[in-house]
Amino acid sequence: MKKPFPPIYYSDYLQLDKLLKSQSPKSDEYGNPAHDELLFIIIHQAYELWFKQIIHELDSVIDMFKMEKIDEKNIGIAISRLRRIVVIQKVLIDQLNILETMTPLDFLDFRDYLIPASGFQSIQFRMIENKLGLNPDNRVKLGNKDYYSLVSSEHKKLLLDSQSSVSILAEVDQWLSRIPFIETPEFNFKKKYGEAIEDILKNEKEIIINNPSLSVEKRDKQLKEFENTKLNFEALLDENKHNELMSKGLRRLSYKATLAALFINLYRDEPILHLPFRFLSYLVDIDENFTTWRYKHALMVHRMIGAKVGTGGSSGHHYLMQTAEKHKVFGDLFDLPTYLIPRSELPELPADLKKELGFYYTGKIKKEK
Ligand code: HEM
């Protein structure tokens, strides 16, 4: 940085004149001032500012992952940006507590002035969902309306553009699919993992059959559960079954990417896999935090308006609970622990591969005497 720069004034830099003049309560305008409307406006504006920051971080991560070959350094940077999103989300969740200092009666003092505006029309919130990779076919409809139907035509275009642009989920899929370690001339992860699972399942079945303390009914019940577990593993080991689940929207990650994510989770103690493991864990954190926010928002809405319809026209609390259930992006990563096996049962990696996955010191760099 070359110096000197012209001096700058705090208020000008932050454009506080504009920012602090951007709260215009409708209740004042209609001559019926409601004390809590300022809080309602400021809370929403604070959310939108944090949404802007989240989009800034997501865009930078998407850009890094667009590269054909991702620089190892960038994975570290991407992780620190995802972590920042996670910390911001905690503030977003806590911020609802401030709004809850407003009582339902206080809200009623100005609520009718807001119709038909609603958080449902938050463009940045929708862009975050799209940039993460929320499946448009999975979206809960408001009545029979799409999420972009209640916004201006200019905003609708922005939303449709972001829906068809590349998402974190799609980028991560590509990146995982390129990870080389799962099939080398000496090591076929799928085959080795399949053999380990076969042994584990055989053992488990024998334990159930030979357990003398189980009644006939209990044994049958446990055997049924065992068959379900077996089916789950079979689906993981069978690419066609996986693709069938994908075509029904029940899986989002490609088969290759799923195997790579499993490999990273199972062998995360190998030094080279630490960062990819942390990266995937932050994606799960982000999804979980949005779900937590959705539940908390839905509960707050229930407390605030009871069973009334929302200002945007939805069934209110009921609609919001449905989105909390369904609007998840990284469900495949959430499901991975189903397929984890104890470290002691993990197929051993060949020595060469283990060396590749470690921080391999050749001894060529010597300490100065
Ligand atoms: C008194 C406070 C609030 C009430 C009563 C409320 C009520 C509602 C209702 C009923 C909906 C469903 C759509 C509709 O029919 O309008 C909704 C959606 C939404 N609200 Fe709120 N809200 C409040 C505060 C907030 C705050 C502070 C934010 C922060 C940005 C927010 C963001 C959203 C978002 C993003 C949606 C869309 C959710 C989705 O479709 O998944 N709301 N809100």
Side-chain angles (χ1 to χ4, degrees):
M1 269 203 200
K2 269 192 178 167
K3 285 185 183 169
F5 301 103
I8 187 158
Y9 187 56
Y10 176 83
S11 195
D12 294 340
Y13 178 59
L14 298 174
Q15 302 192 43
L16 291 183
D17 265 359
K18 251 197 256 171
L19 190 66
L20 299 178
K21 274 190 198 133
S22 303
Q23 296 74 33
S24 319
K26 282 285 159 200
S27 58
D28 287 354
E29 195 181 315
Y30 295 130
N32 222 347
H35 177 86
D36 282 8
E37 194 180 348
L38 182 64
L39 173 74
F40 187 81
I41 294 173
I42 287 181
I43 282 274
H44 281 83
Q45 288 179 336
Y47 269 105
E48 291 293 338
L49 284 175
W50 284 125
F51 290 162
K52 182 170 180 173
Q53 185 68 39
I54 291 178
I55 290 173
H56 184 60
E57 306 301 347
L58 288 178
D59 279 344
S60 77
V61 174
I62 290 176
D63 279 348
M64 282 176 212
F65 274 72
K66 269 187 191 149
M67 317 269 174
E68 188 69 7
K69 188 174 177 303
I70 300 164
D71 187 339
E72 206 56 33
K73 222 174 36 199
N74 280 348
I75 305 257
I77 297 173
I79 287 176
S80 60
R81 300 205 172 145
L82 292 186
R83 184 176 163 264
R84 179 175 290 160
I85 294 177
V86 168
V87 177
I88 293 173
Q89 285 179 310
K90 297 208 188 297
V91 173
L92 297 188
I93 293 167
D94 272 356
Q95 224 166 239
L96 285 175
N97 294 334
I98 307 178
L99 195 55
E100 279 180 332
T101 61
M102 175 176 80
T103 67
L105 210 55
D106 295 331
F107 184 41
L108 279 181
D109 283 344
F110 62 91
R111 179 178 191 252
D112 283 356
Y113 302 136
L114 313 179
I115 296 169
S118 162
F120 188 83
Q121 297 162 319
S122 167
I123 303 306
Q124 294 199 103
F125 185 80
R126 300 303 182 202
M127 285 175 87
I128 292 172
E129 291 178 330
N130 288 341
K131 280 172 194 288
L132 286 172
L134 183 66
N135 184 355
D137 299 334
N138 253 8
R139 281 187 180 275
V140 179
K141 292 208 173 179
L142 196 146
N144 54 3
K145 291 195 198 104
D146 286 308
Y147 73 100
Y148 47 76
S149 57
L150 295 178
V151 300
S152 68
S153 51
E154 186 195 333
H155 282 157
K156 180 175 167 182
K157 189 179 170 324
L158 276 178
L159 292 183
L160 290 177
D161 281 352
S162 82
Q163 186 178 299
S164 57
S165 298
V166 75
S167 66
I168 298 261
L169 180 88
E171 294 289 0
V172 166
D173 193 302
Q174 299 269 321
W175 167 65
L176 286 171
S177 305
R178 289 195 301 263
I179 283 180
F181 315 111
I182 58 172
E183 199 173 341
T184 71
E186 300 84 40
F187 183 74
N188 182 325
F189 167 62
K190 186 177 151 185
K191 187 164 169 281
K192 290 281 177 196
Y193 174 78
E195 287 164 5
I197 290 299
E198 211 173 293
D199 284 351
I200 291 173
L201 291 180
K202 205 168 128 208
N203 229 347
E204 264 184 34
K205 193 168 180 180
E206 271 168 22
I207 290 173
I208 299 173
I209 291 173
N210 298 322
N211 184 347
S213 63
L214 288 180
S215 63
V216 177
E217 294 88 64
K218 276 206 174 136
R219 179 167 307 140
D220 284 353
K221 195 168 167 253
Q222 287 201 3
L223 281 173
K224 239 187 208 157
E225 281 163 11
F226 168 83
E227 285 306 320
N228 280 340
T229 315
K230 204 169 149 212
L231 280 178
N232 254 329
F233 281 107
E234 279 168 8
L236 177 75
L237 293 167
D238 182 338
E239 187 165 358
N240 290 331
K241 279 201 181 134
H242 181 92
N243 291 342
E244 214 178 282
L245 291 175
M246 270 188 98
S247 68
K248 291 182 189 154
L250 297 170
R251 287 275 175 271
R252 299 288 311 285
L253 285 178
S254 65
Y255 190 61
K256 261 189 170 171
T258 306
L259 283 185
L262 178 64
F263 179 81
I264 289 169
N265 271 269
L266 286 171
Y267 292 97
R268 64 181 188 219
D269 294 340
E270 301 302 327
I272 264 192
L273 299 179
H274 281 182
L275 288 185
F277 172 70
R278 285 186 60 208
F279 181 81
L280 295 180
S281 302
Y282 276 126
L283 293 180
V284 175
D285 286 346
I286 289 176
D287 223 5
E288 182 176 328
N289 282 340
F290 272 122
T291 303
T292 306
W293 183 85
R294 286 179 200 277
Y295 275 122
K296 202 166 156 57
H297 170 258
L299 289 174
M300 187 230 14
V301 168
H302 201 178
R303 273 182 74 171
M304 204 63 85
I305 64 170
K308 289 192 187 101
V309 293
T311 47
S314 79
S315 57
H317 166 253
H318 179 68
Y319 160 81
L320 293 168
M321 285 306 262
Q322 277 184 296
T323 65
E325 277 300 317
K326 286 192 77 180
H327 287 188
K328 293 183 184 127
V329 180
F330 300 103
D332 297 25
L333 298 180
F334 270 91
D335 285 345
L336 272 187
T338 318
Y339 309 110
L340 296 187
I341 55 178
R343 283 184 172 93
S344 57
E345 315 273 351
L346 275 183
E348 205 167 314
L349 301 171
D352 275 2
L353 179 54
K354 222 171 151 47
K355 203 152 88 179
E356 288 274 325
L357 294 173
F359 296 127
Y360 177 49
Y361 175 55
T362 58
K364 278 184 197 145
I365 304 167
K366 295 263 192 282
K367 202 174 157 194
E368 262 188 61
K369 289 201 178 130

